[in-house]
Amino acid sequence: MVTPSTPGDKEKVVSKLPSWLRQDLKVRAAQLGVDIQDAVSQAIEMWRATPERLTPIDTTGGVSWSSWLPPGKWADLKATCAQREIPLVQGLAQSVALWLRENSTPAARRYVRRVIVCNQKGGVGKTAVAAGIAGACAEGDNLKVLVASAAVALLSDGAIGAADVADDANELDSEDEVHPGLGLRVLLVDYDPQGHLTNQLGLATIGIDEPSLAKYMAGTEKRGSVRDLVVTLDDDRFGGRLDVVPSCADAFLLDIMISTDRNRQATLERVLEPLEADYDVIVIDCPPSLGVGMDAAIYYGRRREEEEPGNSGVLIPVQAEDSSADAFELLLEQIESGQADWRIEVDYLGLVVNLYDARDGYVITSSLEAWKAMEEPRVIGVIGRLKDQREAVRNKRALVAYAPSCQQAKVIRRIAREIV
């Protein structure tokens, strides 16, 4: 049906469309920022210009549909339908389906993965987990790497001899999976003024009078940019794909330095955002703190507009002990209050139970079970208290480069694959 109009006006048309087609048209037009009436007008022109016969569409049970079209557009559609000997409803359905096919869903905006490794309790192994994740992501895709099976990744693999773990380390090895390295471009940020990450990787800390991440966040540094701080880790295993922003002791004053910023929770993002296009993953090794600087890290890891859930978020290393559980509750309170205050969503990438050894007794094993019983965030890996990580630190190398076949490296690769 067509409602008459005055010359030059659009005319209202009423017909029927399958409900699914009408809904797809509505959603796609909104995604592309196109008025539905313009989309239908384009659809009719495209269909009439298509010489081949298109696959018939089931229009049974079509629902009422209306729009405004330029004068004569509907008449042109009716004439072409008559020429092709198909019903008007079928011609309209084919037109809309053709437009949908030729105007696909716009690609989702690509966001670099931002992994915020945090816990306000010190000594839980945040730095080891952050460096391990970064190294596992940057390993060359031309390498064959060993990854612990999902079952082994959740076992207490630091406690050989415990009831729930194989008696022989070789039996654990039989659970390995062989994969190519991920080969991702990674930026690892030492956000902790103590500089453990920088020291563990054998890099020099930034001098107190030199440009630093904290100074750029505070807006007090006018020389150069944060890009000048980036150091590439010199290790063939990473092929130049693993970069580091070293620590500077001035970050001890970060909370004071950014406290007067009008939008202080966004200070870390303002500094790192210009680098994001250069990387696939950015890993932030956070300090054991619940201050303003930690707020900035949490905000940086929030889910951005149109970002896929779980693309970025917080990864929380913990230990199987009561004090770690208490600290975890304080961190959750900070994250939850930040979400409410800033009206954002922060995804939990998971928990990593670190430095675990079942031989330490019932308190440890029962704490692990308590962590595993949590539904959100869930445990995505258990890393044993083994010597390889300590040796890697002593030798100033990343774990996956120093001992690529050790059990800790295999589990950390499994964790990396869980979050990227």
Side-chain angles (χ1 to χ4, degrees), residues 156-225:
S156 47
D157 50 322
I160 304 303
D164 58 347
V165 184
D167 290 328
D168 191 319
N170 291 327
E171 187 173 340
L172 288 178
D173 291 342
S174 70
E175 301 288 345
D176 292 343
E177 300 170 359
V178 180
H179 296 273
L182 292 172
L184 301 176
R185 300 167 301 163
V186 183
L187 178 64
L188 179 56
V189 179
D190 192 347
Y191 195 50
D192 187 344
Q194 298 174 90
H196 294 318
L197 174 65
T198 301
N199 292 331
Q200 287 183 20
L201 295 178
L203 302 175
T205 56
I206 294 173
I208 195 69
D209 296 322
E210 296 299 315
S212 68
L213 180 64
K215 293 186 183 74
Y216 285 122
M217 289 176 63
T220 60
E221 182 56 68
K222 305 304 180 185
R223 294 172 290 177
S225 72

Side-chain angles (χ1 to χ4, degrees), residues 360-384:
D360 287 340
Y362 171 74
V363 171
I364 303 303
T365 56
S366 61
S367 293
L368 175 62
E369 293 309 312
W371 287 123
K372 289 182 179 180
M374 291 182 59
E375 294 184 0
E376 180 67 17
R378 65 188 180 91
V379 174
I380 61 173
V382 179
I383 303 176

Side-chain angles (χ1 to χ4, degrees), residues 28-229:
R28 189 68 52 78
Q31 290 174 331
L32 298 174
V34 178
D35 288 337
I36 289 180
Q37 57 191 21
D38 293 333
V40 174
S41 180
Q42 295 169 12
I44 291 172
E45 286 298 324
M46 291 170 62
W47 181 73
R48 293 183 63 234
T50 302
E52 72 270 16
R53 287 186 174 273
L54 302 180
T55 303
I57 293 173
D58 184 4
T59 59
T60 305
V63 295
S64 180
W65 168 87
S66 63
S67 184
W68 293 88
L69 297 177
K73 186 71 66 178
W74 194 247
D76 290 341
L77 176 64
K78 293 174 68 173
T80 304
C81 288
Q83 183 182 28
R84 298 182 183 180
E85 299 181 336
I86 62 173
L88 178 61
V89 172
Q90 179 65 214
L92 175 63
Q94 289 187 17
S95 299
V96 171
L98 177 62
W99 185 86
L100 289 170
R101 190 180 72 192
E102 297 298 321
N103 293 271
S104 58
T105 304
R109 180 176 175 183
R110 176 195 174 274
Y111 282 113
V112 63
R113 293 184 184 275
R114 304 172 310 286
V115 181
I116 313 302
V117 183
C118 57
N119 190 331
Q120 70 99 8
K121 185 178 187 300
V124 296
K126 292 185 295 294
T127 296
V129 171
I133 294 296
C137 288
E139 285 182 300
D141 53 11
N142 61 324
L143 297 174
K144 295 296 184 182
V145 297
L146 298 175
V147 178
S149 71
V152 170
L154 290 176
L155 285 177
S156 47
D157 50 322
I160 304 303
D164 58 347
V165 184
D167 290 328
D168 191 319
N170 291 327
E171 187 173 340
L172 288 178
D173 291 342
S174 70
E175 301 288 345
D176 292 343
E177 300 170 359
V178 180
H179 296 273
L182 292 172
L184 301 176
R185 300 167 301 163
V186 183
L187 178 64
L188 179 56
V189 179
D190 192 347
Y191 195 50
D192 187 344
Q194 298 174 90
H196 294 318
L197 174 65
T198 301
N199 292 331
Q200 287 183 20
L201 295 178
L203 302 175
T205 56
I206 294 173
I208 195 69
D209 296 322
E210 296 299 315
S212 68
L213 180 64
K215 293 186 183 74
Y216 285 122
M217 289 176 63
T220 60
E221 182 56 68
K222 305 304 180 185
R223 294 172 290 177
S225 72
V226 70
R227 196 179 299 275
D228 300 326
L229 307 180

